[in-house]
Amino acid sequence: MTCSSVQVQPYLLEALEEKFTLHKLDTTTEPDKAARFLRTHRDSIRAVVGTAFVGADAELIDQLPNLEIVSSYSVGVDKIDLAKCKEKGIRVTNCPDVSTDDVADLALGLMLAVSRRLCPIDRYVRSGLWSKLDFFSKQFSGKTVGIIGPGNIGMAIAKRAEAFGCPISYFSRSQKPACINYNYCPTVVDLAANCDILVVACALTPDTRHIINRDVIDALGPEGVLVNIGRGPHVDEAELVSALLEGRLGGAGLDVFQDEPNVPEELFKLDNVVLMPHVGSATVEARKAMADLVVGNLEAHFLNKPLLTPVV
Ligand SMILES: O=CC(=O)O
C-alpha cells in the first residue's frame, strides 16, 4: 500500500501500519526520490491512500499494475482520475459526511471573520493600538447568503446562516426540493448579484472550474464577500486578486487556493481577506472519523465485503 503522508494524522498512519504493509510516498521530497520509490514498490502496491492534496492521477495509476483500490482521506475526489479507475476496475472510496459540520462551521467562521474584521482588529489589540483602532465592521446577521452547491456541506452552511437570520439563495444545475425555503438562482452571476456573501460549496469538476470568474466577482461587487471552502480552482484567482486590490470586491474568506501551498502574496497585505491553509475538515474529531473510514474501506475491500463509502 502507498500513502501520501502530507497532512495525514499519526493516528491514520499507525492504523495503516498495524493492519497493512505501508510504504509512505512523501510527495514533498524531490521527484527523483518519488520515481525511485515507485520503481521499488510498484508491483507490491495494491492500494493507494490519497488526500485532498495528492490523489492518484493517470500517471500514478499507470505505474501501479496491481492497484485495486484508492481510499481517499478526503471528501473531494478531484485529485483522483475517476474515469481511469473505472476503466481499469480500480475501486475508489472517500470520506463523506463526517466532516460536514466542521467545514460548515469554518465557512461561518470565515463569514463572521471577514464581516466583523476579526483578524485585523485582533492584530490592532495585540500591537497595543486599542485606543487608536478603527474598530468598525459590517453586520453579519441578516445578510443574504448565496450558496453554490446545496449538497450536504452547502445545506449545513445554509442551516447555520439561517440561525443568524440570513436569507438563503442558491445556485445548482436544477432546483432542489430540499431547498424549498431558499431562493433559486438559475445562474451564478444572478446569485452573486442577489447576495451579500457568496459561498463556494460544490465539488470541483471540469464544469465548476473557475465558476467564480470576473463576471461573478463584478456582480458580487465592492460590498460583497466571497467565501471559498471548496477547492482553489473553483476561483479564477488572478481575477480575484485584482478585484480585491482594486476594491471591486468587498472581501474574501479563503480556505483553499489554486496552487497550494502557494498563496498569492498580494493577499497578505489586505485586511479584508482571511486566509486559511485548507483546514476545513482539520478537527481532531473529523480527521479521526475520516481515518476510520479510510481503514474500514480498505479492510472491507481486502475481505471482499461491501465498501463503506464507495465512489467508484
Ligand atoms: O478538502 C478536504 C476534503 O476533501 O476532505
Side-chain angles (χ1 to χ4, degrees):
M1 173 171 334
T2 175
C3 168
S4 135
S5 54
V6 184
Q7 286 220 353
V8 171
Q9 273 176 325
Y11 172 80
L12 173 57
L13 294 177
E14 278 158 27
L16 291 172
E17 248 150 12
E18 191 190 309
K19 293 171 196 274
F20 307 98
T21 305
L22 179 66
H23 303 299
K24 285 184 244 168
L25 170 59
D26 185 347
T27 48
T28 57
T29 56
E30 329 88 75
D32 271 8
K33 217 165 163 186
R36 257 199 322 277
F37 170 95
L38 287 170
R39 272 198 305 276
T40 312
H41 299 297
R42 65 192 293 273
D43 291 331
S44 63
I45 289 170
R46 296 170 65 197
V48 164
V49 174
T51 64
F53 306 93
V54 185
D57 58 13
E59 201 188 326
L60 180 70
I61 294 168
D62 279 337
Q63 291 182 79
L64 301 174
N66 296 313
L67 183 62
E68 295 169 29
I69 181 167
V70 179
S71 179
S72 194
Y73 182 54
S74 66
V75 182
V77 286
D78 48 286
K79 290 280 200 277
I80 303 170
D81 191 326
L82 297 178
K84 185 113 195 162
C85 288
K86 254 183 224 151
E87 177 197 309
K88 294 195 139 196
I90 296 166
R91 305 302 309 272
V92 177
T93 62
N94 70 339
C95 298
D97 305 329
V98 291
S99 64
T100 300
D101 285 339
D102 296 314
V103 177
D105 289 351
L106 185 73
L108 266 286
L110 288 170
M111 292 181 205
L112 281 160
V114 176
S115 304
R116 297 304 308 269
R117 300 182 58 230
L118 299 186
C119 298
I121 294 176
D122 169 271
R123 286 195 289 269
Y124 287 153
V125 174
R126 285 166 196 255
S127 38
L129 294 174
W130 180 298
S131 57
K132 300 205 180 70
L133 62 77
D134 161 22
F135 49 72
F136 280 104
S137 61
K138 292 257 180 67
Q139 192 168 59
F140 169 63
S141 288
K143 291 282 153 61
T144 300
V145 171
I147 295 183
I148 300 177
N152 288 351
I153 293 175
M155 291 301 272
I157 294 169
K159 193 169 115 194
R160 284 159 175 73
E162 275 189 287
F164 284 84
C166 300
I168 308 294
S169 294
Y170 73 101
F171 164 80
S172 67
R173 269 172 304 182
S174 57
Q175 263 175 281
K176 301 274 172 232
C179 297
I180 189 92
N181 295 326
Y182 304 155
N183 173 40
Y184 176 66
C185 295
T187 68
V188 181
V189 170
D190 197 25
L191 179 65
N194 287 290
C195 71
D196 301 301
I197 301 174
L198 182 61
V199 191
V200 183
C202 55
L204 179 64
T205 65
D207 285 347
T208 61
R209 195 188 136 76
H210 286 193
I211 197 164
I212 305 296
N213 55 26
R214 181 162 182 138
D215 290 346
V216 172
I217 292 170
D218 286 346
L220 194 52
E223 298 299 319
V225 170
L226 176 73
V227 167
N228 189 5
I229 48 83
R231 287 289 188 260
H234 279 128
V235 176
D236 184 333
E237 204 166 71
E239 285 293 348
L240 173 67
V241 170
S242 40
L244 286 163
L245 290 173
E246 291 160 20
R248 289 185 286 109
L249 182 66
L254 307 171
D255 185 40
V256 286
F257 301 88
Q258 195 155 305
D259 180 29
E260 294 169 0
N262 300 307
V263 176
E265 272 187 34
E266 298 97 314
L267 298 180
F268 295 167
K269 56 181 183 237
L270 299 179
D271 269 355
N272 54 345
V273 174
V274 177
L275 307 169
M276 301 297 288
H278 198 151
V279 290
S281 68
T283 64
V284 175
E285 293 87 346
R287 288 287 170 90
K288 178 178 178 300
M290 289 165 71
D292 289 339
L293 277 177
V294 167
V295 174
N297 275 306
L298 291 172
E299 286 182 318
H301 173 76
F302 289 115
L303 290 170
N304 273 326
K305 291 192 173 155
L307 298 176
L308 309 180
T309 48
V311 176
V312 169

